Every structure is written in C-alpha cells, then in structure tokens.
Amino acid sequence: MEYNNKQIISMLKVLLMMMLMTMGTQTVYLGQTHAQLSSDFYAESCPSLFPAVRQVMQRAVAKERRMAASLLRLFFHDCFVNGCDGSILLDDTPSFRGEKTAGPNNNSVRGFEVIDKIKSRVEKLCPGVVSCADIVALSARDSVLLLSGGPRWSVKLGRRDSKNAGFSAANSGVIPSPFSTLKNLINRFKAQGLSVRDIVALSGAHTIGQANCCAGLTFNNSNINFSFALSRHKNCPATSGSGDNKKAPLDIGSPTRFDHSYYNQLLDKKILFNGSGTDSLVVTYSRSLNTFYRDFVRAMIKMGDIKPLTGSHGQIRRNCRRPN
C-alpha cells in the first residue's frame, strides 16, 4: 500500500504522540503535563535536601516537642483543602485571603516559622528548586521520625506550589471538626480518597501533641472514661468557652512518643470508643505497633497524593508565604 506525503506526516505525528505518552516519568495528555511524584525527585537537583530539612527539624523539635505534632497537623490541613499544594502557608494578599484565619486553622494551625527556616536553608543550597508543598510533606515525616523512633518512610516528592489560597474551601467543612460524628468523618475522608482504615490509622497521630480542652467534650460525654475526664478537669475549665484554648494531651500515657498507646486508651474508653464499626481496627492497632506503623505510613502516603500540582502547574515559591 502506498501513502502520500500528507498521510506519512500524519502517521508520524501519531507515533510521536504515542512515544511521548509512555516516555520517562511523565504522561502527556494533549499538551497537558502531569508529572508523577517520586521519592527521588530531587536526587540530582537538590541532593542535600533531606539532611537540610532534618537538621532544622531536629532543632525545632528539641526546642519544643509539641512542634512535631503541629507540623504533622499542618500537612493534614494543607492536603484537605484543594490538595497538597502549600496553600495553607500563604499570607493574605490584596487579591485573595489566606487560609490561616479560616475557622479550622485560626489560632490553631502553627509551625509556619519552622517551614520558613527550612525553606530559607534549602533555598541557599538549591535556589528555586524545592517547593514549599514538598517541604511541608517532609517536615511531617520527620516530625514522626524524630519522636522516639516513629516509623520511617520514603516521601513522594515533586509537588509544586499553589499561586492562590482557598479561604472559602477551608471554611466549607472539608476539614473535619473535632466534634464530627463518625459518619461525617468517613464521608470527609472518603471524599479525599481515604478509607475507613486510613481514618483509624491517621487518628493515631493523636498519640503526640496536645488539643484544646473543649470542656463539653470531657465534662458531658458519656463515652469518655471517668478517670480520663477527671484528669482533664485539672487543666480544663468546666464551662465551655471559658478556657477552651488551654491545652491538654489526648494520649495521657506517652504524649511525646509516637507509639500505639492512644489505641489502648480508646479501648479503655479514656477517649472515644463506643461499639462502632471501627472498633476492630482499634483493637488491632492496640495489640500491634508494627501494624499501626504500616497502616499509618500507607495512609500518610495516600494523603500526600491528594491532588498535587505537578508538571507545568503551579510554581516553586521563593517565599512560602507569598506567590512569586
């Protein structure tokens, strides 16, 4: 069969497109590039990234153990609002309102200064290369690792930074409230591609850090063990709104160790454990630290995959607090 020049050129274009669609670590869809995240994304462009992040994190956690929990939570609050894009780090600008003053974040989410220090150090080593979104993901991993040898995992990298914040999205309920029902939690996590198992595993992050007292939660909840409630009453006010911003650990046994004692307290009804469909997972994690670590790591990696900006989308911010 013979082909004219126009037909040959047309076939060559098709073959070239097919080659591009299967080449390297990128997939091309009609001109739109979607780069895949990978743990070695900065292996050549910023080989000193990991120790640089670790050094700043070590100093921050040594200065204040609670900071580890805060940076872990920062990652969660970033990813649940329009994906893991570093948007939570943005300050207000004349063109948009940042997420920091949204209901779930205001006077609650913290650790921004630590991210600034990491970014400053990394920019000196590898200017314009590493995104703020990836720094948040790495700081979350190191937060866990630095607390008494928590689980280690390879963080998938290659995210780019959002140019805008999502104040309205952060206020829309995508970030579950501390007072959420189990059904609401499941729906919120499912919307992000996370399973019930992921919910229970990720809740194990409450083994570190502190939470606001929220008096009504411990004074009026019949599913909370009396001795646990009594221990909370020493620091927390009896009247809602009269001191809810005071802090108290959820894991009263080892609040600065990343272990599975949180689940043992759930079984004792020292926090919430009330015959729901998640109880079997709580039992499993209370008995096996390795199983908890395995599922927690898997859930963290899945959460880090929530709608990242990659390829030609977004930007690499020079300053994590504002767009370039």
Side-chain angles (χ1 to χ4, degrees):
M1 183 178 295
E2 295 183 359
Y3 299 96
N4 58 38
N5 289 340
K6 186 179 292 186
Q7 289 173 315
I8 293 173
I9 292 173
S10 178
M11 286 189 294
L12 287 173
K13 286 182 178 179
V14 172
L15 288 171
L16 178 60
M17 180 62 72
M18 291 175 66
M19 290 172 63
L20 287 171
M21 290 177 69
T22 57
M23 187 178 295
T25 59
Q26 294 186 329
T27 305
V28 179
Y29 298 99
L30 300 177
Q32 182 177 359
T33 304
H34 178 71
Q36 302 299 312
L37 301 181
S38 66
S39 59
D40 60 352
F41 188 86
Y42 298 110
E44 295 184 6
S45 59
C46 194
S48 54
L49 171 62
F50 294 161
V53 174
R54 185 70 53 80
Q55 287 169 9
V56 177
M57 285 295 302
Q58 284 174 330
R59 287 195 293 269
V61 174
K63 182 179 180 180
E64 183 188 6
R65 300 282 285 178
R66 181 184 164 218
M67 185 55 69
S70 297
L71 290 169
L72 183 57
R73 185 164 177 256
L74 185 68
F75 180 56
F76 163 60
H77 279 235
D78 183 39
C79 290
F80 265 57
V81 179
N82 299 329
C84 309
D85 59 2
S87 61
I88 197 171
L89 305 174
L90 291 168
D91 290 336
D92 295 350
T93 73
S95 59
F96 64 76
R97 187 173 180 181
E99 297 168 23
K100 294 177 180 177
T101 56
N105 302 330
N106 195 30
N107 297 320
S108 175
V109 174
R110 59 197 291 271
F112 301 108
E113 294 79 10
V114 177
I115 300 299
D116 290 339
K117 289 178 181 178
I118 296 173
K119 179 64 173 176
S120 177
R121 184 177 180 86
V122 171
E123 280 295 302
K124 290 177 182 177
L125 297 170
C126 320
V129 172
V130 181
S131 70
C132 299
D134 278 345
I135 287 174
V136 172
L138 285 170
S139 69
R141 188 273 306 275
D142 284 3
S143 293
V144 173
L145 189 62
L146 289 170
L147 287 179
S148 303
R152 181 189 302 269
W153 69 93
S154 296
V155 180
K156 292 166 67 175
L157 302 167
R159 302 170 190 81
R160 290 168 65 84
D161 298 320
S162 171
K163 300 176 184 178
N164 298 288
F167 176 81
S168 297
N171 271 330
S172 68
V174 293
I175 300 174
S177 160
F179 304 101
S180 295
T181 63
L182 179 60
K183 182 179 179 180
N184 181 259
L185 278 174
I186 291 173
N187 289 337
R188 293 301 182 191
F189 276 71
K190 185 178 180 180
Q192 304 289 356
L194 299 169
S195 67
V196 172
R197 194 176 195 93
D198 296 327
I199 295 173
V200 181
L202 289 171
S203 74
H206 289 115
T207 192
I208 58 174
Q210 300 180 353
N212 288 347
C213 283
C214 298
L217 194 61
T218 56
F219 278 80
N220 305 313
N221 197 313
S222 61
N223 284 326
I224 295 180
N225 176 276
F226 176 75
S227 62
F228 173 78
L230 192 62
S231 70
R232 293 299 72 130
H233 297 176
K234 293 178 181 178
N235 297 318
C236 296
T239 304
S240 294
S242 65
D244 286 351
N245 287 330
K246 288 186 175 182
K247 307 295 180 185
L250 285 171
D251 181 345
I252 60 177
S254 53
T256 60
R257 289 179 60 88
F258 199 90
D259 55 24
H260 61 159
S261 65
Y262 171 76
Y263 295 104
N264 289 301
Q265 292 172 53
L266 289 179
L267 288 176
D268 292 337
K269 288 196 174 183
K270 291 182 179 177
I271 310 176
L272 295 175
F273 179 79
N274 53 9
S276 68
T278 60
D279 288 2
S280 62
L281 286 169
V282 173
V283 172
T284 297
Y285 296 151
S286 72
R287 293 175 177 172
S288 174
L289 180 64
N290 287 336
T291 301
F292 163 54
Y293 277 0
R294 181 199 66 196
D295 287 357
F296 179 82
V297 165
R298 289 176 178 175
M300 284 293 290
I301 292 172
K302 284 178 66 175
M303 187 163 67
D305 283 339
I306 298 175
K307 295 183 290 187
L309 294 173
T310 57
S312 59
H313 300 289
Q315 61 183 206
I316 304 298
R317 283 190 226 130
R318 291 184 291 271
N319 182 329
C320 290
R321 292 176 179 263
R322 59 175 181 265
N324 294 341

